[in-house]
Amino acid sequence: MTLGFGRPYLAIPGPSVMPDRVLRAMHQASPNIYEGPLTEMVQTLWPDLRAVACTTQNVAIYIANGHAVWEAANANMFSRGDKALVLATGHFGLSWAGTARAVGVEVEVLDFGKSNAADMGRVEAALRADVHHEIRAVLTTHVDTASSLRTDIPALRAAIDAAKHPALLVVDCIASLGCDEFRMDEWGVDVTVSASQKGLMVPPGMGFVWFSEKARAVCRTSGLRTPYWDWGPRADGPDFWQYWNGTAPTHHLFGLRESLNMILHEEGLANVWARHAVLAGSVWAAIDAWNAGNPEIAMNVADAKHRSHAVTAARFGAPHATRLREWTEHRAGVTLGIGLGMATQSDPTSSGFLRVGHMGHVNAHMTLGALAVMEAGMVALNIPHGSGALAAAAAVIGRAARD
Ligand SMILES: *Cc1c(COP(=O)(O)O)cnc(C)c1O
């Protein structure tokens, strides 16, 4: 039988759950794009977009997904033949490197594998070896959504400074923004990219690039810049159409206004980060308890301090992860994330990985519900697992919300 009738829950690492309020804010007639309420409302977005990245510097909005804002950043930062150093801790770091290489950037990849945090000693050594300072930018994911590894950005800044290297620090916060603590200015980040459909709880279709004054000055003559991707008019206008190089993404902007109200003006950014930390901790507690009765079930990232608070990658042993995902989606209304980049599709072990998304508009009952559904699926499918996972997950939440 199926018990999936009811409200479905998309627990994948993006797109994330959209609040009904965001959808309602978008549900309105087409606005005038030349003057009036839309153009006035957009002026209120700029300070809040800066606030959500903890910066006072520049921000550009693009009608784009995450892959496109990689290209936006590349186009503004580089000329053909420039050098970049990319830290890879999973599928997304490698993909970003590929987009830069495809437009003629000479990319050196430091690949730390799929389960280990970036080694800042290796980063510092690579930068010291670049005695003529040819590396223009250091690119990293904050959270690699495939591995769920989180990179320590202040430690990366310290490594660049220790090497006395002038490269720009460029961070992909597509999975982490509005989930994991991120402080662009305080942490010395020059360029940050993100997108609308994860922590920001808006449908896919808007991308963002924040850039420092230093990045603006260093990149003034970049040869890969094209009219659409040029971050100058996207950030500065001054005519309304110039922010978008054409028609504004009208309804996404209404949705974004509502989500930023929720994040910044109701819950508060520090509380948003704290909520994600607790919910992530409850997922980890459940997986650890399952692991105690079946060592094939395990967290992908062993050390909690290197784990994302937005998504958790886990192994369940092939083919159990795929079977479990199918069961939870079709029998219980919870869609879990596929394993991404952990093994090639033809590799039989690829059915042994899954991810639990816990980003954005997610609260205690949703995360506990998703974990309980996973356990129900393990019972249904006879997947061996340790006991006490749900009690352990509930205890994490109960202890955090005692006061
Ligand atoms: C989701 C994601 C991307 C890709 O975003 P798309 O909108 O799917 O193109 C890139 N980087 C990270 C870290 C992501 O989480």
Side-chain angles (χ1 to χ4, degrees), residues 117-155:
D119 172 351
M120 296 308 166
R122 274 180 64 193
V123 177
E124 187 182 329
L127 291 170
R128 281 187 191 281
D130 179 36
V131 287
H132 300 300
H133 291 171
E134 290 177 348
I135 293 171
R136 192 171 170 79
V138 177
L139 277 50
T140 188
T141 52
H142 184 206
V143 163
D144 193 301
T145 322
S147 64
S148 69
L149 275 157
R150 186 179 56 190
T151 294
D152 183 342
I153 303 300

Side-chain angles (χ1 to χ4, degrees), residues 7 16-26 196-203 255 258-260 262-263 275 359-362 366:
R7 193 178 179 90
S16 65
V17 173
M18 290 182 287
D20 290 341
R21 283 176 54 181
V22 167
L23 294 172
R24 275 198 300 275
M26 297 176 74
S196 53
Q197 77 272 23
K198 299 188 183 179
L200 295 182
M201 315 182 292
V202 176
E258 191 69 11
S259 82
L260 291 172
M262 295 169 74
I263 292 168
R275 170 168 53 83
M359 53 172 55
H361 193 57
V362 180
M366 295 163 78

Side-chain angles (χ1 to χ4, degrees), residues 67 70 74 84-101 107-114 138-149 151 170-172 174 340-341:
H67 283 70
W70 283 340
N74 293 342
L85 183 68
V86 177
L87 282 60
T89 52
H91 170 83
F92 285 98
L94 293 170
S95 296
W96 195 6
T99 68
R101 201 176 280 123
V107 180
E108 178 183 348
V109 176
L110 294 177
D111 191 343
F112 301 99
K114 295 164 188 157
V138 177
L139 277 50
T140 188
T141 52
H142 184 206
V143 163
D144 193 301
T145 322
S147 64
S148 69
L149 275 157
T151 294
V170 186
V171 183
D172 171 346
I174 296 172
L340 194 61

